[in-house]
Amino acid sequence: MTFTDQNIHDLIASGQPVVIDFWATWCGPCRMMAPVVEELAKEYEGRVAVGKYNIEEENDLTAKYRIMSIPTVLFFKNGEQVPSLRLAGAQPKATLEERINQLLAL
């Protein structure tokens, strides 16, 4: 799923669990994580909205959540960010799955 400034605000406000991968086309670690994010989006479809937010094309969330390095992954539930789950840097699938499961357990 591709998140944009037009769709992400309503999605977060809906209260459903949301996982956002902040990335850019020039970022090598971001490109390495792309297949993992796509797999997780399929595996958690219907339970968690998992997608990518291109910081080169979108900027509302980049400033709001102080994204200083990419990839950064943020987790939201009930319309609020869950800061304790935030991840920075390339992550293995197991780490992302663990955080998504923690998000679902909240």
Side-chain angles (χ1 to χ4, degrees), residues 15-50:
Q16 80 175 83
V18 179
V19 177
I20 305 171
D21 173 28
F22 289 82
W23 74 289
T25 57
W26 49 263
C27 170
C30 299
R31 290 194 309 270
M32 288 174 33
M33 279 186 53
V36 171
V37 172
E38 290 173 20
E39 284 177 37
L40 292 170
K42 290 176 187 168
E43 290 174 19
Y44 286 90
E45 188 173 359
R47 295 185 292 156
V48 180
V50 179

Side-chain angles (χ1 to χ4, degrees), residues 52-69:
K52 303 178 75 50
Y53 184 89
N54 187 332
I55 66 164
E56 294 176 307
E57 298 172 1
E58 312 296 333
N59 57 28
D60 283 2
L61 297 185
T62 306
K64 181 175 183 176
Y65 294 103
R66 299 179 186 166
I67 304 302
M68 302 296 188
S69 63

Side-chain angles (χ1 to χ4, degrees), residues 82-93:
V82 182
S84 63
L85 298 180
R86 181 180 180 135
L87 293 169
Q91 303 291 326
K93 184 177 180 182

Side-chain angles (χ1 to χ4, degrees), residues 64-99:
K64 181 175 183 176
Y65 294 103
R66 299 179 186 166
I67 304 302
M68 302 296 188
S69 63
I70 53 172
T72 292
V73 181
L74 298 185
F75 300 81
F76 295 81
K77 190 167 184 182
N78 299 323
E80 300 288 329
Q81 181 192 10
V82 182
S84 63
L85 298 180
R86 181 180 180 135
L87 293 169
Q91 303 291 326
K93 184 177 180 182
T95 300
L96 290 167
E97 285 176 319
E98 178 184 314
R99 295 290 170 96

